[in-house]
Amino acid sequence: MSDLVLYHASPSRSSVVLWMLEEIGEPYDVKLIKLADNDQHKPDYLKLNPLGKVPTLLHKGVPITEVSAICTYLADEFPARKLNIPPGNPQRGVYLKWLFFAPSVVEPAANDKVFPRKEPARPTAIGYRDLDTVLDVVAKAVSPGPFLMGEQFTAADVALGSLVRWGMMFGFIPKRDEFEAYAGRLAARPAAQKAAAKDEQFAKA
Ligand SMILES: N[C@@H](CCC(=O)N[C@@H](CS)C(=O)NCC(=O)O)C(=O)O
């Protein structure tokens, strides 16, 4: 058994971690979780991820949950791949901002659009803006790019880039030129292609 074990449902948010693991290039094992069979609610899995969600990554037996936390952790833990901006570099703050921006700003703004609230939330009380405003910020950050941190591809591109790719695929993010160009650059990465091919097999399993 590898030090790294991904609990994965294909395709889902755990596909983001699958891509991240391919970028890292360390050996890992995959344990498939069948959401339709409610594997995520089984007692043994709830011990690892009390919310009963995927992904969960085990590293040396320690469970880590939350996509962006896992991507941040892996990039720091395996720095040779240069997928992080390390402590000491003032750009690390910007890098971390994008890693948090994905789940705490883009995702909730997208959810509000896909699942509108009966009563709109007070804009000053929620921690993000409407999806159009949020996406303007992302579009500016990825053009000309090529990546969020400029020339360096980082874990932030895996986390936020996955949302952009998925969002356009499922129609909750508009196919703006900036996003299509950025998604194209991400899809061209060999690790992204390897992860996509594996995920296709996992989906059939
Ligand atoms: N905040 C979590 C979200 C994880 C999540 O919502 N995963 C979905 C799959 S995309 C899930 O496990 N759904 C199964 C369920 O809710 O029972 C993260 O970033 O890891």
Side-chain angles (χ1 to χ4, degrees), residues 22-166:
E22 288 299 329
E23 293 284 353
I24 292 291
E26 294 288 322
Y28 64 91
D29 292 319
V30 169
K31 292 200 181 218
L32 289 181
I33 295 287
K34 289 210 167 120
L35 299 180
D37 292 350
N38 275 322
D39 288 352
Q40 71 276 27
H41 296 300
K42 291 188 176 153
D44 280 353
Y45 186 70
L46 288 173
K47 282 184 200 151
L48 304 176
N49 187 325
L51 293 184
K53 295 275 187 184
V54 290
T56 301
L57 181 77
L58 283 189
H59 186 215
K60 298 181 179 169
V62 178
I64 315 161
T65 65
E66 301 302 318
V67 169
S68 272
I70 296 170
C71 291
T72 309
Y73 176 82
L74 286 172
D76 284 346
E77 197 64 16
F78 301 98
R81 288 285 164 170
K82 296 200 180 325
L83 295 167
N84 70 343
I85 307 274
N89 181 332
Q91 287 300 312
R92 180 167 169 87
V94 181
Y95 159 73
L96 291 175
K97 185 267 297 280
W98 291 124
L99 277 156
F100 281 66
F101 207 78
S104 60
V105 176
V106 181
E107 266 205 56
N111 281 338
D112 282 354
K113 183 100 182 184
V114 178
F115 307 109
R117 296 166 193 252
K118 282 188 186 136
E119 279 184 39
R122 193 152 40 95
T124 51
I126 56 173
Y128 51 93
R129 296 283 180 209
D130 63 279
L131 187 60
D132 290 343
T133 305
V134 166
L135 292 180
D136 281 345
V137 174
V138 177
K140 207 166 160 203
V142 297
S143 45
F147 302 113
L148 284 164
M149 296 304 298
E151 288 301 321
Q152 186 186 352
F153 172 86
T154 67
D157 293 296
V158 177
L160 186 43
S162 295
L163 261 177
V164 170
R165 294 173 75 191
W166 278 58

